[in-house]
Amino acid sequence: MTTVITFGTFDVLHVGHLRILQRSRALGDRLVVGVSSDALNMSKKNRQAVFSQDERCELVANLRCVDEVFVEESLELKRQYIEKYAADILVMGDDWAGRFDEFNDICRVEYLPRTPSISTTAVIEHISGMAGGNA
Ligand code: C2G
């Protein structure tokens, strides 16, 4: 049984998120996802997530390709999370390429290409623009 682990905020869930989770799951038999806490997201992005960590966990946990979720409290705890969930493969989007190579001693580290032309920021800007147009 091959366990895959990946991490992310997954705010305003979109098809780029879904596809990387599907591609991660296809590398093994079980997919575990660390969803960034609200505090970790704020420290990474300097912006409050639209959906709370409980809502983001609920959405991700109920995708067919996801087997288990937990709240990622700190970027510094990656090694502990990989060991706790006995992950064989760590997947990250290629926006993080090279940043997690230090974990090659305990698992395989894969960086998958991001889906082009979609992001949480773009969705938020799109909706903000629509709201402005109707005002
Ligand atoms: N993603 C993607 N294509 C997009 C947008 C996002 O493949 N168009 C991927 C990202 O590369 C990431 C995952 O979806 O692997 C989640 O994206 P974010 O929520 O932006 O996650 P991020 O803030 O990069 O968190 O421990 C590391 C972090 O917690 C990663």
Side-chain angles (χ1 to χ4, degrees):
M1 157 118 135
T2 301
T3 298
V4 183
I5 194 166
T6 192
F7 296 86
T9 304
F10 302 101
D11 192 27
V12 189
L13 196 68
H14 59 66
V15 75
H17 297 142
L18 176 65
R19 288 180 189 162
I20 200 160
L21 293 172
Q22 288 174 324
R23 286 180 290 153
S24 300
R25 176 64 174 75
L27 295 175
D29 309 301
R30 170 176 174 249
L31 177 61
V32 179
V33 183
V35 175
S36 302
S37 68
D38 290 331
L40 173 57
N41 177 65
M42 183 60 101
S43 73
K44 281 190 303 190
K45 305 201 170 167
N46 207 16
R47 177 181 76 200
Q48 198 176 335
V50 173
F51 293 127
S52 70
Q53 65 188 51
D54 288 350
E55 291 167 325
R56 291 182 284 106
C57 282
E58 186 177 340
L59 284 160
V60 171
N62 283 285
L63 298 176
R64 198 176 297 156
C65 55
V66 174
D67 297 288
E68 192 168 347
V69 305
F70 66 94
V71 176
E72 180 191 25
E73 303 282 0
S74 163
L75 295 180
E76 310 307 317
L77 293 173
K78 279 235 161 32
R79 183 172 292 274
Q80 284 91 319
Y81 292 135
I82 293 166
E83 287 173 343
K84 177 173 179 192
Y85 291 96
D88 302 287
I89 307 174
L90 166 64
V91 172
M92 299 297 302
D94 62 2
D95 44 329
W96 293 87
R99 298 272 297 276
F100 297 104
D101 289 354
E102 66 190 280
F103 304 121
N104 265 316
D105 60 337
I106 52 167
C107 65
R108 197 171 107 206
V109 182
E110 291 266 349
Y111 303 98
L112 298 183
R114 287 167 63 94
T115 299
S117 314
I118 185 153
S119 68
T120 296
T121 305
V123 173
I124 292 170
E125 283 171 3
H126 183 88
I127 294 170
S128 306
M130 291 167 74
N134 290 335

